[in-house]
Amino acid sequence: MKFQSIILIAAVSLFAACGGNQKPVDISAPAAKSKAVTETGIVTEKALSSNARLPGQLKPYNEVNIFPKVNGFVKNMYVDRGTIVKKGQLLLTLEAPEMESQLQAANSRYLQAQENAVASKEKYQRLKEAAKEPGSVSPLDLDNASAKMRADEAMAKSEQSNVASVRTMQDYLNIRAPFDGMIVQRNVSPGALVSPGKGTDQPMLILLDISKLRLEVFIPEDYVDKVDLTKPVNFTYNAMPGTQQTARISRSANALGSMRSEAIEIDVQNKNGNLKPGMYAEVHIPMLSGAKSLLVPNQAIVRSTEREYVIVVKDGKAQLQDIKEGLSRNDSTEVFGNLKAGDTIVKHASDEMRQGDAIN
């Protein structure tokens, strides 16, 4: 008993030393969370930069796919890829033996018709002389001879036209250049059978006019009414950095194409041949004075495979507003959509926020 009392006294003393009068801690209660505050910004309206930077591509001024007009076999080739040609120059010749037979037949019919026309005319002249003697030739015979003469003359002219038509068809066997340029593709060789084709078929030759090129630029729909097409534009070729050129816009489509953009063209001289069709350029097109645009912080735009949007704060709730992006700056991006200057938006938006979420 004495030993047990000593142990009890020691336990009570130890409990008092450890603060036995403190309240026990409930470890099952959750810790208090701090309420996160969403950082917001506003949509600003500022003047656009002095010009819009858009990509452009060089196109040949003239381009043609050369197809044969008649069926035939390639007889001779006088050009190859890279050959510089002049307008009217002979590029290749075809052969079609049946066309020579057609020409001979047409000539024979023409000669026969011509002989008939000469004979009818002589007969009419003789009857006309004989008719001067009263009663020697009836008026009906004279009229018949006159009609026969006119019919034979018409037949001779018809056969003559037929000969000219066959000669024209025969001339189609000689393929000539329609304009000055360069052969950039050759798809046939001597002995190949060729025939008139469609645009989807492979041409015999492709001819480009590279002495003058077209710099083609597509202006997005959102900028069509903001660029100034009357002023000169500056452009730099990607393959020739540091070399800036200036020119005026030569023509405009004045309509939006399938890509919802307006095509414009700038004529570029290429006398030394340094420029090649297909080269890309960065084109600076002046903006109209006074044109303004809406800007949002770069982090405010949420991008996904389906859409681009910003989160607008209205009455303390999130509203997802679809937008289209324009020009970008270091800290802001131009946007197009159902927004107005002064709208409050989430500055650091993410796709975790949903329509109607409360914004603190």
Side-chain angles (χ1 to χ4, degrees), residues 9-25:
I9 293 171
V12 170
S13 300
L14 181 61
F15 179 78
C18 293
N21 59 344
Q22 294 181 357
K23 293 182 179 180
V25 178

Side-chain angles (χ1 to χ4, degrees), residues 283-316:
V283 185
H284 297 253
I285 301 180
M287 290 290 190
L288 293 169
S289 58
K292 295 184 178 181
S293 186
L294 298 176
L295 301 174
V296 299
N298 292 334
Q299 299 85 351
I301 301 176
V302 181
R303 301 172 180 87
S304 69
T305 56
E306 299 177 352
R307 59 191 295 201
E308 293 180 345
Y309 61 91
V310 295
I311 300 176
V312 181
V313 181
K314 287 190 178 180
D315 299 327

Side-chain angles (χ1 to χ4, degrees), residues 40 63 87 105 122 126 128 145 157 167 180 204 216 218 220-221 224 226 262 304 317-318 352:
T40 60
E63 179 179 2
K87 182 178 180 180
E122 291 178 350
R126 288 195 300 269
K128 187 178 180 180
K157 290 181 179 179
R167 287 188 185 279
D180 296 350
M204 297 187 299
E216 188 178 52
F218 290 93
E221 179 181 7
V224 167
K226 297 178 181 179
E262 180 183 8
S304 69
K317 293 186 178 181
E352 296 178 357

Side-chain angles (χ1 to χ4, degrees), residues 52-230:
R53 292 184 302 173
L54 298 172
Q57 186 177 17
L58 286 175
K59 302 284 187 179
Y61 193 78
N62 291 313
E63 179 179 2
V64 64
N65 295 335
I66 299 178
F67 292 93
K69 293 184 178 180
V70 295
N71 296 326
F73 293 91
V74 177
K75 184 178 181 181
N76 295 308
M77 293 287 304
Y78 302 107
V79 296
D80 208 331
R81 177 174 285 176
T83 303
I84 303 297
V85 300
K86 295 293 184 180
K87 182 178 180 180
Q89 180 177 333
L90 186 63
L91 306 179
L92 60 92
T93 57
L94 307 177
E95 58 180 353
E98 69 277 7
M99 198 165 291
E100 186 64 33
S101 300
Q102 293 174 6
L103 179 60
Q104 292 178 1
N107 274 322
S108 298
R109 290 193 298 270
Y110 170 59
L111 292 175
Q112 183 179 1
Q114 196 174 31
E115 290 295 329
N116 291 337
V118 171
S120 297
K121 185 176 182 180
E122 291 178 350
K123 181 179 179 180
Y124 172 73
Q125 293 293 344
R126 288 195 300 269
L127 290 176
K128 187 178 180 180
E129 288 294 328
K132 293 180 179 179
E133 294 293 331
S136 59
V137 178
S138 67
L140 180 59
D141 291 339
L142 188 61
D143 291 341
N144 289 338
S146 176
K148 182 69 167 56
M149 177 188 67
R150 290 194 299 269
D152 288 344
E153 288 178 347
M155 182 60 69
K157 290 181 179 179
S158 175
E159 293 298 337
Q160 185 180 21
S161 299
N162 189 34
V163 171
S165 176
V166 175
R167 287 188 185 279
T168 300
M169 295 294 292
Q170 195 175 40
D171 191 55
Y172 289 158
L173 299 176
N174 299 317
I175 310 300
R176 302 182 182 276
F179 51 79
D180 296 350
M182 175 188 289
I183 302 296
V184 297
Q185 189 170 336
R186 166 190 164 180
N187 299 316
V188 294
S189 298
L193 174 64
V194 294
S195 60
K198 300 173 292 186
T200 55
D201 294 337
Q202 192 177 48
M204 297 187 299
L205 302 168
I206 297 180
L207 176 64
L208 303 183
D209 179 3
I210 60 172
S211 61
K212 186 178 180 181
L213 301 173
R214 304 170 187 258
L215 181 57
E216 188 178 52
V217 184
F218 290 93
I219 301 176
E221 179 181 7
D222 298 319
Y223 288 101
V224 167
D225 60 340
K226 297 178 181 179
V227 295
D228 191 348
L229 302 182
T230 62

